[in-house]
Amino acid sequence: MSNTSPEDLLHRMMTMSEHDLSDLTSAVNAANLGAAVTMATAAGSAKDILWQQLVRAGWLVAITDVCIERTNLFKVHQTGVTPLRRLTSELYSRRQQQILTEINENLQMQSPRERRFKLLVPSNSSYLGISGKVGSTPDTGILTGSRQGCARNCLPRYINDLTFTVARPEGSREQLQNFYLVEESPGYFFILSSILADFLRQQFDPSDIQIAPVQLRHSNGAAVEERYFAVKILKTVDCIDPENSFGRRIPWGDDRLPFTECTVSYDLEQSVAADFANVGKEQYVSYPDSTEQVFNVRLRESNIALGDRLFYPALWPGFLIVEESFGQALAQLCFGGTPGYYFWMLDLENVCEGHRQLRIALR
């Protein structure tokens, strides 16, 4: 057993990138689920030095019966699962607190002239399995003959009856992320770890955000130890210039119309009005609700207060607008998945083509 203390190990790990540590995190999570994962690294690298320390601590095992030139192989020892999980959990907690401090300092110094707004949209690459009872939604198809729906103005009332399960694609490791974006088509909400949920909570007045605990499970059905929360942004800002924003009525259409001419409006039945109405108590109104229907968006930025960094535009409940530096800060806090794929930010000019090109480039 090595005399190296957990604090010494944490100090070394704090100097390493998330990419360098991702193999260890994934291997520890796999070992916790009863699977053995072999980790490979170049001899003498930062990972190799750390992993050799963990071997001396009795938490990793060096694999010596397989020889690969200039490469060392390791696996997690069963006795190392619990201490390594504690170590990696403490590491990410400290990293997030460090990033949070830097983010809050930067946000306080931000000038209104530095702000640039974008659409925050799902990347469709971080999946959660969802099961449980569901409720009703407005049956707009009976009026339009299409699948265009209504975005919810709150978290689903049945959120406590849902179970979220971390996806594990066949042949790959489970990746437990601290950030997930759940699409409702249209609209979405977040599933976040407690630290991320607290970060967003601090950015909003209580009436502008809704947070509820959720059940999150590993792919083998075991409950995730850390607490996770569903988070819905309720903040709405009347900031779209509909005469100078352009879209089309249907995703495959050839028309190019101002938002004023491609807006949908539904009178809602009482059973669904409370959860979907965004005009008065019984009406739902929305500009085009998919990126394929949107060409460009013009904002009335004078209507956006300095503290408004993440919000839904009035009459556009299927899309979140994010201030770019705030979105970058939020992305810094995400871990467990692939950087750049937790969510995407789109320019407000040429939205549909920009989204298409991004999907091609990053698929």
Side-chain angles (χ1 to χ4, degrees):
M1 181 69 69
S2 169
N3 291 325
T4 302
S5 69
E7 195 61 36
D8 291 335
L9 293 170
L10 278 169
H11 180 73
R12 176 176 291 279
M13 294 167 78
M14 286 289 287
T15 66
M16 298 171 67
S17 69
E18 181 182 340
H19 176 74
D20 280 344
L21 293 167
S22 60
D23 286 348
L24 178 62
T25 303
S26 296
V28 171
N29 288 336
N32 185 55
L33 297 175
V37 173
T38 298
M39 302 180 292
T41 188
S45 66
K47 287 196 288 188
D48 186 49
I49 294 170
L50 172 66
W51 294 353
Q52 296 285 3
Q53 283 185 289
L54 296 177
V55 169
R56 292 191 291 273
W59 297 347
L60 292 186
V61 176
I63 299 174
T64 57
D65 56 350
V66 177
C67 293
I68 302 176
E69 186 178 0
R70 298 178 183 175
T71 302
N72 290 330
L73 305 177
F74 304 82
K75 65 181 179 180
V76 177
H77 193 283
Q78 195 56 42
T79 60
V81 173
T82 297
L84 283 172
R85 291 186 72 206
R86 291 174 182 160
L87 192 69
T88 53
S89 177
E90 177 63 20
L91 169 71
Y92 285 118
S93 177
R94 291 191 186 188
R95 279 196 162 176
Q96 286 184 315
Q97 292 300 333
Q98 184 181 63
I99 294 170
L100 280 172
T101 300
E102 296 172 359
I103 288 171
N104 287 326
E105 290 175 353
N106 292 336
L107 291 176
Q108 289 174 9
M109 294 187 296
Q110 188 180 40
S111 163
R113 294 183 179 180
E114 299 172 345
R115 297 196 302 172
R116 185 181 179 195
F117 294 96
K118 294 198 170 190
L119 288 184
L120 188 152
V121 300
S123 67
N124 299 319
S125 61
S126 53
Y127 300 106
L128 285 175
I130 306 175
S131 60
K133 296 180 179 180
V134 295
S136 59
T137 59
D139 186 13
T140 56
I142 200 170
L143 300 178
T144 64
S146 73
R147 296 181 179 180
Q148 183 172 9
C150 297
R152 208 181 304 269
N153 60 29
C154 58
L155 286 172
R157 292 178 182 266
Y158 46 86
I159 193 77
N160 292 333
D161 296 321
L162 297 178
T163 297
F164 299 87
T165 304
V166 181
R168 183 183 181 184
E170 187 175 351
S172 64
R173 307 172 189 171
E174 176 186 289
Q175 288 187 307
L176 175 61
Q177 302 177 186
N178 66 344
F179 178 103
Y180 296 95
L181 204 161
V182 179
E183 283 192 85
E184 293 194 275
S185 298
Y188 35 87
F189 60 89
F190 306 119
I191 299 294
L192 307 177
S193 68
S194 56
I195 290 178
L196 269 183
D198 284 341
F199 168 67
L200 284 185
R201 189 199 311 267
Q202 294 166 14
Q203 311 303 317
F204 293 90
D205 291 334
S207 61
D208 289 333
I209 189 170
Q210 184 183 8
I211 301 178
V214 294
Q215 304 175 59
L216 182 63
R217 297 189 176 277
H218 290 289
S219 54
N220 69 348
V224 171
E225 291 183 5
E226 184 178 359
R227 298 182 70 197
Y228 274 72
F229 297 84
V231 177
K232 176 76 173 181
I233 306 303
L234 306 180
K235 177 72 176 179
T236 301
V237 178
D238 185 4
C239 61
I240 299 290
D241 179 353
E243 291 83 7
N244 292 297
S245 299
F246 291 85
R248 50 191 171 195
R249 291 190 178 95
I250 53 178
W252 55 88
D254 295 325
D255 50 340
R256 181 185 177 93
L257 303 168
F259 275 13
T260 50
E261 296 181 35
C262 48
T263 300
V264 297
S265 177
Y266 305 112
D267 294 322
L268 302 179
E269 196 270 337
Q270 187 175 5
S271 64
V272 295
D275 290 357
F276 292 91
N278 64 340
V279 175
K281 294 183 177 180
E282 296 183 346
Q283 191 175 23
Y284 179 87
V285 179
S286 177
Y287 302 134
D289 67 0
S290 73
T291 55
E292 289 79 7
Q293 292 176 257
V294 180
F295 293 112
N296 70 281
V297 181
R298 182 70 57 82
L299 298 181
R300 294 178 174 137
E301 294 197 21
S302 60
N303 290 3
I304 306 173
L306 183 58
D308 295 339
R309 300 186 179 104
L310 182 63
F311 54 87
Y312 285 99
L315 305 187
W316 213 23
F319 284 104
L320 277 170
I321 296 285
V322 63
E323 195 280 314
E324 185 176 30
S325 64
F326 185 80
Q328 292 169 344
L330 184 60
Q332 277 186 278
L333 290 169
C334 298
F335 70 81
T338 304
Y341 285 86
Y342 296 101
F343 58 85
W344 290 337
M345 293 189 290
L346 303 179
D347 289 335
L348 299 182
E349 294 292 328
N350 208 7
V351 172
C352 55
E353 180 60 19
H355 196 193
R356 188 184 74 84
Q357 292 291 345
L358 187 61
R359 285 188 301 233
I360 292 172
L362 296 180
R363 66 185 177 186

